[in-house]
Amino acid sequence: MAHQGESEDQADIEPTPAGTASNPLQELPTILKVFGKVVAPATLITALLIFFGWSRTTALFGWFGIDPTSLGFSSTDYLLTSQDGLFVPGVVIALLVLVMTWVLGLVRRSGRSSFVRAPWVAPAAAVLGAVLATNGVLGIFGRGLLAGSLAVAPLCLVVGVTLLSVAGHTVHAERLSYSGGAGIAELTTLTIVMAMALFWAAGDYSAAVGRERAAELASSLDERAQVVLYSDKALSITAAGVQTLRCGGESTAYRYRYSGLVLLLNSNGQYVFLPTGWNRRTGSAIAVPKSDQIRLDYRSAGSRPDSLPTSC
């Protein structure tokens, strides 16, 4: 009986034909398991979200000439703002990965296809892939065709290395000469390059979203809710669109009133305002530390400065 069990177990194991290499895609679950043990998925996702939020925030406040490091943002602040610049690249990246998976899988499975065996497929894919990959690599150094355009360089790198991989597997379609180790190394390298390039593209998009939000804000300052700032001491705010009134009387709690301000940021330790007459060439943002000696009155959007009372 024991010999019969051994024969049944051995019958379940089908020998791999000599000269046939294992499919690198079959090793993908193993790679993902190892990667998951090295980098926890939750930690990786959180780090990516913080980076995208930082990229958007830096671009937004940098557009107004403000150094974001002086505003005291926390990791939570970056996490909350990351979603604004992440939805579109997230969907695009998911679709690109899905399409590339289908293409590479199709090439690996269709070795007998007349299209794959066509003599022009491999050279065309290799030449186009080399050109695009080279342009993507040059974009890392700020050079190459359309290097300054949004996400052009990283997407060229993604498509380029994909075409080079397709060309390589097309050449070896009829005889799989890749060993298991070589296939895993190729798949791992391809995954890393694509992941870094897509990460690069998503970061560029987040920064572009930040600049776009800043431009929208600057173009509609007159239509946004304004803030009236009361202060016990003179703040010497002299900017286009800001009106200063000195309050009279001994019983007044605050001696100065500043109107024509739009609140840009309410951080832990300070307020950041933009005057309604701000422009990018000559305008400046106004930072006021929080204290008990100032008070803010928020007014609805569209309210006119002349609707304020003539006295404090």
Side-chain angles (χ1 to χ4, degrees):
M1 294 297 291
H3 294 288
Q4 182 179 359
E6 292 179 0
S7 61
E8 290 178 354
D9 292 340
Q10 294 174 356
D12 293 337
I13 302 176
E14 297 180 0
T16 301
T20 301
S22 61
N23 189 342
L25 288 179
Q26 295 177 351
E27 305 295 339
L28 183 58
T30 303
I31 298 174
L32 295 179
K33 289 179 181 179
V34 175
F35 183 76
K37 292 180 180 179
V38 176
V39 181
T43 303
L44 178 60
I45 292 174
T46 301
L48 291 176
L49 290 176
I50 291 176
F51 172 78
F52 293 136
W54 171 86
S55 180
R56 175 194 177 277
T57 302
T58 300
L60 190 152
F61 288 99
W63 199 87
F64 292 107
I66 304 172
D67 183 4
T69 59
S70 65
L71 301 177
F73 287 116
S74 64
S75 299
T76 303
D77 296 325
Y78 293 131
L79 284 173
L80 294 176
T81 58
S82 63
Q83 52 82 27
D84 187 27
L86 194 57
F87 284 129
V88 172
V91 173
V92 172
I93 288 173
L95 290 176
L96 283 176
V97 171
L98 186 60
V99 170
M100 286 185 292
T101 302
W102 285 344
V103 170
L104 294 177
L106 180 62
V107 171
R108 289 189 175 98
R109 292 193 301 268
S110 57
R112 298 180 180 178
S113 172
S114 59
F115 175 79
V116 174
R117 294 173 60 186
W120 59 269
V121 173
V127 172
L128 182 58
V131 171
L132 292 176
T134 301
N135 190 61
V137 173
L138 291 175
I140 299 176
F141 306 98
R143 300 183 178 182
L145 184 63
L146 300 177
S149 300
L150 177 62
V152 169
L155 292 181
C156 282
L157 189 58
V158 170
V159 178
V161 296
T162 303
L163 289 175
L164 290 175
S165 179
V166 168
H169 284 280
T170 302
V171 170
H172 299 279
E174 292 187 357
R175 55 181 186 85
L176 297 177
S177 61
Y178 291 116
S179 63
I184 296 175
E186 178 200 3
L187 184 60
T188 303
T189 304
L190 187 64
T191 302
I192 292 175
V193 172
M194 288 185 176
M196 296 302 294
L198 293 174
F199 180 82
W200 175 13
D204 284 354
Y205 179 83
S206 297
V209 168
R211 291 189 293 269
E212 181 181 358
R213 297 291 183 266
E216 293 174 355
L217 175 61
S219 63
S220 60
L221 288 175
D222 292 336
E223 303 172 0
R224 294 185 176 270
Q226 298 186 17
V227 175
V228 179
L229 171 62
Y230 293 89
S231 175
D232 185 40
K233 297 181 179 179
L235 301 177
S236 301
I237 300 177
T238 56
V242 177
Q243 298 179 3
T244 304
L245 176 66
R246 183 164 184 172
C247 305
E250 296 293 335
S251 60
T252 57
Y254 301 95
R255 297 184 178 276
Y256 297 90
R257 185 183 74 186
Y258 300 91
S259 58
L261 297 170
V262 174
L263 182 63
L264 180 62
L265 175 68
N266 181 0
S267 67
N268 294 329
Q270 61 185 335
Y271 300 105
V272 180
F273 302 97
L274 286 177
T276 54
W278 185 91
N279 65 79
R280 199 175 183 190
R281 292 187 60 187
T282 60
S284 59
I286 303 165
V288 179
K290 292 182 178 180
S291 70
D292 296 334
Q293 298 178 345
I294 65 173
R295 189 190 82 198
L296 300 183
D297 283 357
Y298 296 91
R299 298 172 59 82
S300 60
S303 61
R304 299 177 56 84
D306 54 13
S307 63
L308 290 170
T310 57
S311 61
C312 301

